Amino acid sequence: ATVALDFRQVAGGLEVVEPLVAILRDAHSHPDFVRRLARTATDFKPPLGFRGAFATARSKDTPPGTMDVKRGGMLPIVNLARFHALANEVTISATLDRLVAVEELGKLPAEEAMALREAFACVWRVRLEHHAARIASGGEADNDIDPAALPPLEREELREAFKAIVRAQKRLDVYVPSGI
């Protein structure tokens, strides 16, 4: 349901926009749905381990020594933005615009909203640079980054981006208590 409600009109008339927007505006009044959105926003964890060290090869689909930046970076931010938007009657679909709108409503602290926007930009950039490098070397684009191969400042920026995501996810504990 979360992805299905992220629609964008590309061209022409779309008669279903008005009814879908009405559903989005009403989502906040369904506590079970809001809890599920919060759970979705905390399902994907950034690849950080003990004391903020990068955790590599967390899934069988990720090669040893790498971490999936889409799964551990992009998806959590997108899901956090979706949660905050739908929980606060924001019907915008774009992630960064959602974060701005919720911040402007006073429903997300400015520092957290800014940190999530910066984290999104950082992860997006690292991911696209990795895609470009893979394609330039004759490989296929993937999301599996070797953090040791990143320049030191970029590696630290990515670590801080992941930490910002973790902090934002912890704020949702009120909706998703530990152990559930």
Side-chain angles (χ1 to χ4, degrees), residues 21 25 43-44 46 52 57 80 92 94 97 138 144 163 172:
V21 168
R25 279 207 176 96
D43 280 347
F44 296 103
L80 282 161
I92 300 167
D97 293 340
D144 303 322
K163 287 179 181 180
L172 298 187

Side-chain angles (χ1 to χ4, degrees), residues 1-177:
T2 57
V3 174
L5 294 175
D6 280 353
F7 64 92
R8 290 175 181 89
Q9 183 174 349
V10 177
L14 188 61
E15 294 176 14
V16 74
V17 169
E18 199 171 309
L20 286 176
V21 168
I23 291 169
L24 294 177
R25 279 207 176 96
D26 189 48
H28 76 283
S29 65
H30 299 279
D32 289 337
F33 182 68
V34 172
R35 269 192 296 280
R36 184 60 216 153
L37 283 173
R39 179 59 175 253
T40 301
T42 60
D43 280 347
F44 296 103
K45 304 291 184 195
L48 291 175
F50 185 67
R51 293 189 181 178
F54 288 116
T56 57
R58 295 179 76 172
S59 79
K60 63 181 184 225
D61 301 325
T62 306
T66 67
M67 56 190 182
D68 185 334
V69 293
K70 181 178 180 183
R71 185 179 191 86
M74 299 301 295
L75 287 176
I77 298 169
V78 168
N79 288 337
L80 282 161
R82 183 182 296 123
F83 163 78
H84 287 294
L86 293 178
N88 292 290
E89 301 181 57
V90 172
T91 61
I92 300 167
S93 293
T95 298
L96 295 176
D97 293 340
R98 282 176 166 170
L99 293 170
V100 169
V102 175
E103 176 188 358
E104 288 175 351
L105 288 173
K107 302 296 185 176
L108 187 62
E111 188 169 318
E112 182 175 339
M114 183 180 288
L116 287 172
R117 289 192 305 269
E118 289 177 359
F120 187 83
C122 171
V123 175
W124 187 262
R125 187 187 70 253
V126 168
R127 183 173 174 234
L128 290 180
E129 287 173 357
H130 175 73
H131 286 181
R134 293 273 303 160
I135 292 168
S137 69
E140 289 187 29
D142 64 29
N143 299 301
D144 303 322
I145 306 284
D146 176 359
L150 297 173
L153 290 178
E154 191 171 344
R155 187 172 47 242
E156 192 55 36
E157 184 181 18
L158 188 59
R159 183 185 334 273
E160 290 302 317
F162 289 160
K163 287 179 181 180
I165 296 166
V166 169
R167 286 189 300 272
Q169 287 179 325
K170 284 184 180 179
R171 287 192 63 237
L172 298 187
D173 283 348
V174 67
Y175 296 98
V176 187

